[in-house]
Amino acid sequence: MPVLVMKFGGTSVATLDRIRRAAKRVGVEVAKGYDVIVIVSAMSGKTNELVGWVNETSAMYDAREYDAVVSSGENVTAGLMALTLQEMDVPARSWQGWQVPVQTTAAHSAARIEDIPPANIMAKFADGMKVAVVAGFQGVSPEGRITTLGRGGSDTTAVAFAAAFGAERCDIYTDVDGVYTTDPRVEAKARKLDKISFEEMLELASLGAKVLQTRSVELAMRYKVKLRVLSSFEEQSDEAGTLVCDEEEIMESNVVAGVAFSRDEAKMTLVSVADRPGIAASIFTALSDGGVNVDMIVQNISEEGRTDMTWSCPVDQVKHAQAAMQKAADDGVINYHELIADEGVAKVSVVGIGMRSHTGVAAKMFKVLSDEGINIKVITTSEIKISVLIDRKYMELAVQALHDAFELDKAA
């Protein structure tokens, strides 16, 4: 039988009624002749509750026990989903990560999947099981301990299973009905895309779009897994949702596919640092060691052997960056005049594979922002995206103006 992977996020399984609704969708696919692997998240809010209990119990917790506690939310959902399917006379069985087994690294709370041997589940399919309900977000370390994959790990679990089992498709059920040209809460004219390329989706996910987790898109692109993003709360047709696929499968597309944004950014500038070989490596090694996730980087022109280095990072990592730079200075690794932090910025990006073959996208983007009186603080580009840092108070205006200028409300 062909295999289909269906993943249900926390809002899709938040109550017993929603689990029943999700189970009915699974039953429809079983009736079409699929063997189905269902990946489930914890019920909405449950993971946060479990994390809170761990923090309240032990401020300096053992990461192995953290994973043991936090992974339990998915176990509950998997069992309830299997029971619901059994009540519908659909042969189903729940599977925890260690039972499959989902083999991961030993990096607790941030493990990466290394292998998913299909033999155990395929043997049960051969025996008549029609649905394997797998607890997402979790696996087992080489030492035999439970591991978790980090936030959004159930998306990654789903794509990894689709790759391991050669699934026909991986359907991601969530609280939105697809991938939009931008967030409809910011721009009312945002349009749902029928198809989007892996590369565009990866850029949008990494730039702030919350529909899919970045690692899951990376996996899908690497193993050519067709992803479909669907709503759990709307009636479905075979053409519903958004298909994330190879660029070659998209006949026509706009030059720009979407506008992404990230609200909680900070711009940090290291003023008057020595301009010498290895200085950038020294700065960003110190930031990496301090747990700072650096994004945009700009180095100013050198004057009299000194230069300024600017980067962006999440606003909640500013104190970590300040501590890392102070430590590097105290250790004699770098010498600088001051570190300036601007915590009131946002990142706005336009993304599209059409940029490869069309000129003038950057000029148009900058002209639109200029016409709205929005000053650009930092610019970075790649082959299919242009990102700018601007004052946070102008973020919604920038997104709306760019969406209009590139006519993203209209299909190609």
Side-chain angles (χ1 to χ4, degrees):
M1 293 292 181
V3 174
L4 181 69
V5 175
M6 304 173 72
K7 182 262 178 178
F8 293 94
T11 54
S12 304
V13 292
T15 64
L16 292 179
D17 280 343
R18 290 187 180 180
I19 289 173
R20 291 186 192 102
R21 183 197 295 249
K24 287 179 182 176
R25 295 194 187 282
V26 176
V28 168
E29 301 299 341
V30 170
K32 292 178 183 177
Y34 287 106
D35 285 336
V36 182
I37 299 172
V38 176
I39 310 296
V40 292
S41 297
M43 299 167 83
S44 184
K46 181 55 68 176
T47 300
N48 287 339
E49 181 182 40
L50 294 168
V51 171
W53 288 350
V54 170
N55 288 327
E56 190 176 332
T57 302
S58 174
M60 301 297 289
Y61 54 76
D62 182 329
R64 291 165 295 187
E65 301 308 330
Y66 170 94
D67 279 359
V69 173
V70 173
S71 65
S72 65
E74 280 73 16
N75 297 343
V76 171
T77 312
L80 291 172
M81 177 68 79
L83 286 170
T84 303
L85 287 163
Q86 290 171 9
E87 286 294 302
M88 295 165 50
D89 293 325
V90 176
R93 183 64 65 199
S94 67
W95 297 73
Q96 296 179 20
W98 63 270
Q99 293 173 298
V100 176
V102 179
Q103 298 170 359
T104 74
T105 62
H108 287 276
S109 79
R112 300 186 80 86
I113 296 172
E114 294 197 318
D115 192 25
I116 302 176
N120 288 344
I121 286 179
M122 291 304 290
K124 290 297 182 183
F125 280 146
D127 286 344
M129 180 184 72
K130 297 305 296 178
V131 181
V133 186
V134 179
F137 172 65
Q138 62 176 249
V140 60
S141 74
E143 294 78 28
R145 300 290 310 185
I146 294 170
T147 56
T148 62
L149 308 180
R151 289 293 189 172
S154 292
D155 283 354
T156 305
T157 304
V159 175
F161 268 84
F165 284 79
E168 189 173 297
R169 196 179 62 247
C170 178
D171 288 348
I172 306 286
Y173 286 85
T174 181
D175 54 357
V176 296
D177 61 347
V179 180
Y180 278 74
T181 50
T182 195
D183 190 333
R185 293 168 295 185
V186 172
E187 171 52 76
K189 290 183 286 186
R191 176 175 56 87
K192 184 176 73 68
L193 298 165
D194 294 328
K195 292 183 178 180
I196 187 170
S197 74
F198 289 124
E199 289 178 89
E200 290 170 327
M201 190 66 245
L202 185 57
E203 290 284 9
L204 289 172
S206 66
L207 293 167
K210 300 291 192 290
V211 179
L212 287 171
Q213 200 253 4
T214 306
R215 278 166 60 194
S216 69
V217 184
E218 288 174 345
L219 266 181
M221 185 163 67
R222 185 185 312 160
Y223 293 105
K224 306 299 183 187
V225 172
K226 285 187 179 181
L227 282 177
R228 193 167 61 148
V229 180
L230 302 144
S231 170
S232 297
F233 309 112
E234 295 185 4
E235 293 302 317
Q236 305 298 351
S237 68
D238 289 340
E239 302 301 318
T242 299
L243 186 68
V244 187
C245 57
D246 264 332
E247 181 180 338
E248 289 75 21
E249 295 185 47
I250 302 173
M251 296 290 291
E252 295 284 342
S253 63
N254 291 331
V255 176
V256 171
V259 181
F261 57 87
S262 177
R263 190 184 308 271
D264 298 319
E265 298 287 320
K267 178 173 78 80
M268 306 194 72
T269 301
L270 204 59
V271 178
S272 187
V273 67
D275 187 12
R276 57 172 173 78
I279 188 63
S282 298
I283 292 168
F284 293 105
T285 297
L287 290 169
S288 175
D289 291 345
V292 180
N293 184 19
V294 172
D295 181 20
M296 308 167 82
I297 302 171
V298 176
Q299 183 175 352
N300 290 348
I301 296 172
S302 176
E303 290 187 9
E304 298 178 358
R306 313 291 288 183
T307 188
D308 298 343
M309 189 76 75
T310 298
W311 66 85
S312 68
C313 65
V315 72
D316 61 1
Q317 295 180 10
V318 167
K319 287 184 170 55
H320 296 284
Q322 291 168 333
M325 291 299 92
Q326 185 61 56
K327 183 179 185 302
D330 292 344
D331 292 345
V333 176
I334 58 174
N335 172 268
Y336 60 92
H337 178 61
E338 63 177 325
L339 178 59
I340 300 172
D342 179 354
E343 299 184 36
V345 300
K347 177 172 63 179
V348 176
S349 311
V350 295
V351 174
I353 54 177
M355 291 186 198
R356 291 196 187 111
S357 54
H358 289 76
T359 61
V361 177
K364 185 172 184 177
M365 179 180 186
F366 302 154
K367 177 72 163 56
V368 169
L369 296 176
S370 172
D371 289 347
E372 297 293 343
I374 300 171
N375 186 44
I376 299 171
K377 296 173 179 283
V378 177
I379 302 167
T380 59
T381 66
S382 76
E383 192 179 25
I384 66 166
K385 75 111 189 282
I386 304 165
S387 295
V388 296
L389 281 187
I390 61 174
D391 284 330
R392 189 175 298 142
K393 63 184 178 181
Y394 295 123
M395 189 196 77
E396 284 86 357
L397 174 61
V399 170
Q400 292 161 1
L402 290 168
H403 197 276
D404 283 346
F406 288 103
E407 299 183 329
L408 297 185
D409 57 321
K410 301 174 183 175

